[in-house]
């Protein structure tokens, strides 16, 4: 069983048309592309791990990794709250 949304080919076709039109008109299309490993995992619906964050955003990965080195009793003094609320 294929795990992609039913309309995923329409999305690729639309993106291809937009990129083709930009190339035809000589326009530069700037876009943020995440590394191939992360993209492949996303499309294959494989779980992404913490180490995959390093490829997508190295600064965020390094900062979160530093939190792991801080002693547990000192974490509360940073006033960090990783909770969510629903409305």
């Amino acid at each position: 069983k294929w795990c992609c949304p039913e309309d995923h080919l329409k999305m690729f076709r639309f993106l291809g048309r937009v990129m083709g039109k930009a190339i035809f008109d000589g326009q530069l299309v700037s876009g943020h592309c995440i590394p191939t490993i992360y993209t492949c995992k996303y499309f294959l619906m494989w779980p992404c791990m913490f180490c995959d964050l390093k490829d997508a955003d190295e600064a965020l990965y390094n900062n979160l990794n530093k939190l792991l080195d801080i002693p547990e009793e000192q974490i509360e003094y940073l006033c960090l709250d990783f909770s969510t609320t629903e409305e």
Side-chain angles (χ1 to χ4, degrees):
K1 181 179 175 184
W2 188 248
C3 297
C4 289
E6 291 181 18
D7 61 346
H8 75 283
L9 293 178
K10 290 180 185 177
M11 292 180 216
F12 283 120
R13 184 174 181 175
F14 173 73
L15 182 60
R17 287 181 175 207
V18 170
M19 296 298 289
K21 176 69 171 146
I23 291 171
F24 182 77
D25 291 342
Q27 297 295 316
L28 176 64
V29 178
S30 62
H32 177 72
C33 294
I34 54 178
T36 309
I37 300 283
Y38 186 77
T39 307
C40 290
K41 282 188 167 188
Y42 175 79
F43 285 120
L44 294 173
M45 299 184 111
W46 292 351
C48 292
M49 309 302 260
F50 179 69
C51 59
D52 296 326
L53 182 60
K54 187 173 185 178
D55 294 329
D57 189 343
E58 190 169 358
L60 178 61
Y61 171 82
N62 290 334
N63 289 330
L64 289 175
N65 215 9
K66 287 177 186 176
L67 287 175
L68 295 173
D69 297 333
I70 297 174
E72 191 173 322
E73 56 275 352
Q74 293 180 4
I75 290 286
E76 67 182 73
Y77 297 119
L78 296 175
C79 299
L80 299 175
D81 186 6
F82 295 102
S83 62
T84 61
T85 57
E86 292 184 31
E87 293 182 17

